[in-house]
Amino acid sequence: MAPDLESGFEPAALLDRITTATERLITTTDGLSDDDMRSPSLLPGWSRGHVLTHLARNAEGGTRLLNWARTGEPAQEYPSLTARAAQIEAGADRSTTELIADVRASADQFATEYSLMPAEAWRHTVQWTAGQRHPAARIADARLCEVLVHHVDLQVGFTPDDWPTDFVTYELDVVTTALNRREESPPMRLHATNTDVRYDISAGNDTPLIRGRQASLLAWLMGRSAGTDLTLDNGKILPTPPFLY
């Protein structure tokens, strides 16, 4: 799942997965009414229209980063985080037809630029708006995550149980690693009951153990679930993980 440039990174196969995930998202939202697009998503303060606009602008940002990696000409993912927020707000109240057309057109542009990438370009380092610098291969992995996670945010019947198993396994590693680096993360010990894999986040010997399926743990850690299907030792209350994305 991770874009490992030394072994197993297959750009064409990953693009197929991104395209399939995008088409499924479009299929489940295309029949919504304009009023449905104003309904809240799982993200605080965002409607479905906000989420779809964000996905379109994210595809455009990814396209610019791919072009940077391919041509060597620096390009901004977004002009700034403030500009990113303004773009999303400006597009959120459009009709269903306009929103879906925007998602599709921007995804097609992303796929076109992606397909132009020579093998060596995936190693070129680019910079995201918040300052992170990574090899361009991260663009592919990040886009798949955006589509799959925000599909859940739309609340159209696509749930964390619909996430591909390898995506859940990889993303749970990413999220627990990120939380371990955050000083505000509460101590947690996690046990994925369907894989018997355990994860520690700032944990000590007396840290309660939280149990659940991998997808349930990931959804809760990412703020996409209240964790009602998780169990905790000694009847204690689930902690609140800090928001990641």
Side-chain angles (χ1 to χ4, degrees), residues 178-189:
L179 289 173
N180 251 325
R181 295 181 181 138
R182 299 277 287 267
E183 292 183 0
E184 70 271 32
S185 294
M188 291 180 274
R189 291 186 301 138

Side-chain angles (χ1 to χ4, degrees), residues 41-52:
S41 73
L42 283 180
L43 292 174
W46 273 20
S47 67
R48 290 185 176 118
H50 285 91
V51 174
L52 291 175

Side-chain angles (χ1 to χ4, degrees), residues 115-226:
S115 298
L116 294 174
M117 289 280 284
E120 66 273 12
W122 292 109
R123 297 179 179 275
H124 295 170
T125 297
V126 295
Q127 181 169 311
W128 275 252
T129 306
Q132 312 98 310
R133 295 179 61 84
H134 300 290
R138 182 69 66 87
I139 302 166
D141 172 62
R143 179 59 183 175
L144 181 60
C145 182
E146 289 280 337
V147 175
L148 290 172
V149 173
H150 288 312
H151 197 169
V152 171
D153 291 333
L154 290 168
Q155 301 193 92
V156 288
F158 184 89
T159 74
D161 286 335
D162 294 307
W163 287 335
T165 301
D166 59 345
F167 167 78
V168 172
T169 299
Y170 167 63
E171 197 64 25
L172 194 51
D173 282 336
V174 170
V175 167
T176 52
T177 298
L179 289 173
N180 251 325
R181 295 181 181 138
R182 299 277 287 267
E183 292 183 0
E184 70 271 32
S185 294
M188 291 180 274
R189 291 186 301 138
L190 310 175
H191 177 206
T193 54
N194 59 318
T195 61
D196 202 31
V197 177
R198 295 171 185 261
Y199 308 83
D200 286 349
I201 299 172
S202 305
N205 292 332
D206 59 346
T207 303
L209 181 64
I210 301 167
R211 298 182 179 88
R213 293 174 300 108
Q214 274 193 320
S216 298
L217 290 169
L218 178 60
W220 171 67
L221 289 173
M222 296 180 74
R224 269 64 184 190
S225 163

